[in-house]
Amino acid sequence: MKNYSLFLILLLGLTGCIPTADEQEFPAPSQPPFMAQLPKLYRPDVILNELAKGDFHNGIMTSIDLVIPASPPRQWLFEAVASTNKIHKMVLLNPYYTCEDTKFTFIYNKKKLIEEIISVRENSCLDFVNKWIYTYNYEEGLLVSITGRNYFTSAGIAGENYFVCDNYFSYYPNGKIATIYSTFRDVSQTGEYGFQKKSFIYDDKGNITEVKREEFHDSQYDEKYTFEYDESINPLKNIYIISSVQAALPGYGYASSLGPRFLSKNSVKSIKTEKLYNNRPPEFEYFDYTTFGNRVKDFGSVKTTARGYRYVLSYSN
């Protein structure tokens, strides 16, 4: 599924559930995508909707700067909905792409849950706009899936719809997300770029201790990630759009974008990565944090911090 990962990163780029006697399952989507058969998805006894609230987890952030040696910082700018701790807008500024920015706008429903997130990447030099609309789908108040649709506009092309991606959620009885199934395909559904499964195991603090990532097309990419945590509060929890976008958002290592960055209560201090079906030795990555009071002020991996890279966080209060 290497093409899947490439398309997702380049384009920045899951609906429904079904009941049984003990655990309810979600109904199949009315227009199932072209992909491997979606397994039964289970709904919880308790609805938490952790990924649908759009709340800042530990104070309203105004910016995150990735400090880059001998270069302007890469920035994520945040704006909250007035008089709330909910994210209203987020803007990604990359110093290497001075002609463009990417803006995310969060739209909420009457229950104060995310209804849509609209992402607009606009490049004034190359004169194109790449737009994604991510629709959050609910059944009886529960987030069951997210569907993303891509529209590209440039000279001679007016808002053509090219790609569709989906996240489907299966839950533990306590409301925590157990599994995310992700798909990415062209809008005609004649070509399938990826079908991926991510499974989560938690500790009693609400932190993900293990993630298994399985690729439908090629098991050589299947991996297991094991996480350890420090006591600091994860400032990035709840900042989620859709699986394919997570690697583009601020965070500590690609592996953490598979779950711990947006679902875990505390901050990851180490990641162990293992291939599931070969004998390659595991890889390790370590992180450290500076806190002020109960908030993380800056963080980074030990390896990149030694080279001068560091995430710096600012808050409104």
Side-chain angles (χ1 to χ4, degrees):
M1 192 166 143
K2 53 188 176 184
N3 288 338
Y4 174 50
S5 300
L6 177 60
F7 266 95
L8 300 186
I9 294 171
L10 291 178
L11 291 170
L12 283 182
L14 277 180
T15 143
C17 298
I18 317 173
T20 66
D22 299 319
E23 295 177 285
Q24 290 181 311
E25 306 160 12
F26 306 129
S30 57
Q31 293 183 324
F34 180 77
M35 64 173 191
Q37 184 176 359
L38 190 68
K40 294 179 180 179
L41 304 176
Y42 296 94
R43 63 182 301 136
D45 297 331
V46 178
I47 295 178
L48 299 179
N49 281 335
E50 291 182 287
L51 299 186
K53 295 178 179 178
D55 293 340
F56 290 103
H57 186 219
N58 193 31
I60 297 173
M61 291 187 293
T62 56
S63 67
I64 300 177
D65 291 2
L66 173 55
V67 176
I68 304 171
S71 174
R74 186 176 185 180
Q75 292 184 300
W76 293 263
L77 307 178
F78 297 90
E79 179 184 324
V81 177
S83 303
T84 76
N85 69 335
K86 291 186 174 294
I87 302 170
H88 175 42
K89 292 183 179 180
M90 179 175 66
V91 181
L92 169 58
L93 301 174
N94 190 328
Y96 299 107
Y97 297 94
T98 57
C99 294
E100 74 174 48
D101 59 30
T102 302
K103 297 176 181 176
F104 298 87
T105 301
F106 291 62
I107 300 169
Y108 297 86
N109 61 24
K110 292 180 180 180
K111 295 182 178 181
K112 299 181 181 181
L113 299 174
I114 297 172
E115 183 174 284
E116 281 187 344
I117 298 176
I118 300 174
S119 163
V120 178
R121 176 186 171 196
E122 187 168 4
N123 188 303
S124 59
C125 296
L126 299 178
D127 191 24
F128 74 79
V129 176
N130 191 34
K131 181 178 182 179
W132 280 91
I133 299 177
Y134 303 100
T135 303
Y136 281 51
N137 306 298
Y138 298 88
E139 292 285 345
E140 299 178 349
L142 175 72
L143 177 66
V144 295
S145 66
I146 303 170
T147 301
R149 293 187 174 273
N150 163 248
Y151 302 88
F152 186 83
T153 301
S154 67
I157 302 175
E160 293 286 342
N161 183 199
Y162 285 104
F163 299 103
V164 180
C165 56
D166 298 277
N167 281 180
Y168 302 86
F169 302 101
S170 190
Y171 291 88
Y172 288 114
N174 65 0
K176 305 292 285 185
I177 292 176
T179 310
I180 301 177
Y181 297 92
S182 309
T183 73
F184 188 84
R185 63 195 187 279
D186 66 34
V187 71
S188 67
Q189 299 188 355
T190 59
E192 179 192 358
Y193 301 124
F195 179 46
Q196 183 186 86
K197 173 185 177 182
K198 295 179 287 291
S199 305
F200 308 121
I201 296 176
Y202 299 81
D203 63 16
D204 56 6
K205 294 182 179 180
N207 293 319
I208 292 174
T209 57
E210 180 181 294
V211 176
K212 285 186 178 179
R213 179 171 64 90
E214 299 170 84
E215 308 282 355
F216 172 70
H217 285 298
D218 196 338
S219 62
Q220 70 172 311
Y221 296 101
D222 293 356
E223 293 181 318
K224 183 177 79 170
Y225 307 91
T226 307
F227 302 89
E228 293 182 332
Y229 295 83
D230 68 8
E231 294 301 316
S232 65
I233 302 299
N234 173 16
L236 303 172
K237 186 177 188 291
N238 302 336
I239 300 179
Y240 184 82
I241 297 170
I242 202 168
S243 290
S244 54
V245 180
Q246 291 310 109
L249 301 183
Y252 26 79
Y254 169 73
S256 68
S257 73
L258 300 177
R261 184 169 64 195
F262 52 86
L263 284 173
S264 290
K265 175 183 177 181
N266 297 111
S267 300
V268 172
K269 69 176 182 180
S270 72
I271 303 174
K272 177 183 178 182
T273 302
E274 302 171 272
K275 294 289 185 182
L276 291 180
Y277 300 112
N278 67 39
N279 295 322
R280 231 191 232 174
E283 299 177 358
F284 295 87
E285 193 170 7
Y286 301 93
F287 305 88
D288 67 82
Y289 304 81
T290 302
T291 59
F292 182 80
N294 67 340
R295 290 181 180 170
V296 171
K297 298 294 289 183
D298 63 79
F299 67 89
S301 77
V302 173
K303 185 183 297 184
T304 59
T305 296
R307 303 202 311 264
Y309 292 79
R310 196 77 174 169
Y311 288 97
V312 179
L313 288 66
S314 298
Y315 300 84
S316 63
N317 50 24

